Amino acid sequence: MVTVAFLGSHTLGVRCLERLHEHPDVDVEVIVTYRADSDRWWEGSVRERANELGYENVLPIDSEREVLDHPVDYLISVYYPNILGPELLNHPDQAPINLHQAELPRYRGSNVFSHSIMNARKDDYWKHGTTMHFMAEDVDAGDIIDRRFVEIDDDDTARSLYERTREASEALFEDMLPHIVSGDVMEMGTPQSEFGGERYFYTKDSLNDVKQVDPEELGDPDDVELYDRIRAVDFPPFEPAYTELNGRRIYLTKTGYSRE
């Protein structure tokens, strides 16, 4: 029996927890996720699903250190918001593993869907990835286990790219789970230094100056850079790109937006 500490959130976190629960040779010893009263924009709750499945050791994020009280073979992270310190990373007997919603080593950090769209045309790189990797102390820097890719379409928004990537991530997790259980995964890591291509790192505030559009920028219908920028920040329910005219904020979005 393989034992796991699962740290996660979002719809993808729910799906991965379900896959772990269904596997006859996996025992999820402890789960760490958001509190029940936490705001969330995504569908599904890891906490609620864990309760439905009968798990008792479900911790809030601010109690993550209690994972150290549970001996486990693997620590598996899926959309977990905190950066883990060395004590937690070194806790599992086998390895800490993360499912990162972008191609490594190309995109580390945050806002990966938006930047992948904004960079696609200038880099002539029209695909977005998802990566399972071993965790290291540096963010998103551990050895790569495996990756999957989806195409970036010319009319994609950040939200539509997010949804397709989630599906690819579920498939990647399902494919890799037997290797985790067998232990074969420990021989599957490839250092990121062996991969070529562009490398980007973005912080959580990397879109702060992207959303406001000067009205004068809207005069050129052939401005594909602006077109890409607008759809790259179109991610309901968050505020999209906008311009301001006569004191009014006018939203620039394919999918619609209401501040209420």
Side-chain angles (χ1 to χ4, degrees):
M1 183 68 70
V2 170
T3 55
V4 169
F6 182 77
L7 288 66
S9 67
H10 285 64
T11 307
L12 180 60
V14 174
R15 299 292 182 267
C16 292
L17 176 61
E18 290 173 341
R19 299 293 84 77
L20 290 168
H21 179 78
E22 292 165 0
H23 198 290
D25 296 320
V26 173
D27 187 1
V28 181
E29 293 283 345
V30 59
I31 297 167
V32 186
T33 189
Y34 288 99
R35 293 183 180 274
D37 58 355
S38 298
D39 291 335
R40 64 177 189 270
W41 56 264
W42 56 87
E43 294 182 2
S45 163
V46 167
R47 178 172 294 277
E48 291 176 5
R49 189 64 179 126
N51 290 336
E52 291 169 355
L53 295 172
Y55 290 103
E56 296 181 357
N57 295 321
V58 184
L59 305 174
I61 290 171
D62 55 9
S63 298
E64 65 182 20
R65 284 186 55 80
E66 292 184 31
V67 168
L68 300 173
D69 297 331
H70 300 269
V72 293
D73 296 308
Y74 296 98
L75 185 154
I76 296 179
S77 168
V78 180
Y79 264 122
Y80 189 68
N82 289 356
I83 297 173
L84 301 182
E87 195 171 11
L88 278 168
L89 292 176
N90 292 324
H91 177 63
D93 289 339
Q94 294 295 326
I97 293 173
N98 183 50
L99 189 55
H100 177 65
Q101 298 305 284
E103 175 189 351
L104 290 177
R106 188 176 185 86
Y107 286 108
R108 296 171 56 214
S110 302
N111 301 317
V112 291
F113 304 104
S114 296
H115 290 292
S116 194
I117 289 173
M118 285 190 286
N119 292 334
R121 199 178 304 275
K122 71 179 181 66
D123 290 348
D124 193 25
Y125 194 82
W126 293 88
K127 63 180 181 178
H128 183 81
T130 179
T131 307
M132 180 174 282
H133 67 99
F134 294 111
M135 300 176 76
E137 289 189 40
D138 289 341
V139 176
D140 301 329
D143 291 357
I144 291 170
I145 297 168
D146 202 359
R147 307 184 296 184
R148 295 288 185 277
F149 294 91
V150 298
E151 296 298 318
I152 299 175
D153 296 330
D154 192 57
D155 62 350
D156 260 323
T157 64
R159 183 61 188 257
S160 65
L161 185 59
Y162 159 85
E163 296 293 351
R164 290 206 312 284
T165 304
R166 177 182 56 78
E167 294 173 359
S169 298
E170 289 182 35
L172 174 59
F173 191 85
E174 283 201 36
D175 289 347
M176 290 299 103
L177 184 53
H179 297 288
I180 292 172
V181 173
S182 69
D184 293 344
V185 71
M186 300 302 295
E187 307 300 324
M188 296 175 68
T190 302
Q192 295 194 24
S193 60
E194 296 190 18
F195 294 84
E198 299 288 343
R199 299 188 180 213
Y200 300 98
F201 177 81
Y202 295 103
T203 60
K204 290 182 179 180
D205 62 359
S206 59
L207 299 178
N208 285 2
D209 299 324
V210 172
K211 292 187 177 183
Q212 185 167 3
V213 178
D214 190 306
E216 294 184 0
E217 295 182 75
L218 298 172
D220 183 0
D222 298 320
D223 187 346
V224 292
E225 182 178 344
L226 178 59
Y227 169 71
D228 293 341
R229 178 176 146 202
I230 290 172
R231 64 195 180 90
V233 293
D234 192 346
F235 197 120
F238 300 104
E239 185 178 45
Y242 64 88
T243 191
E244 292 185 344
L245 291 172
N246 300 322
R248 293 183 58 199
R249 184 168 291 192
I250 299 172
Y251 291 106
L252 310 171
T253 171
K254 175 181 179 180
T255 51
Y257 176 73
S258 173
R259 301 183 72 172
E260 298 180 357

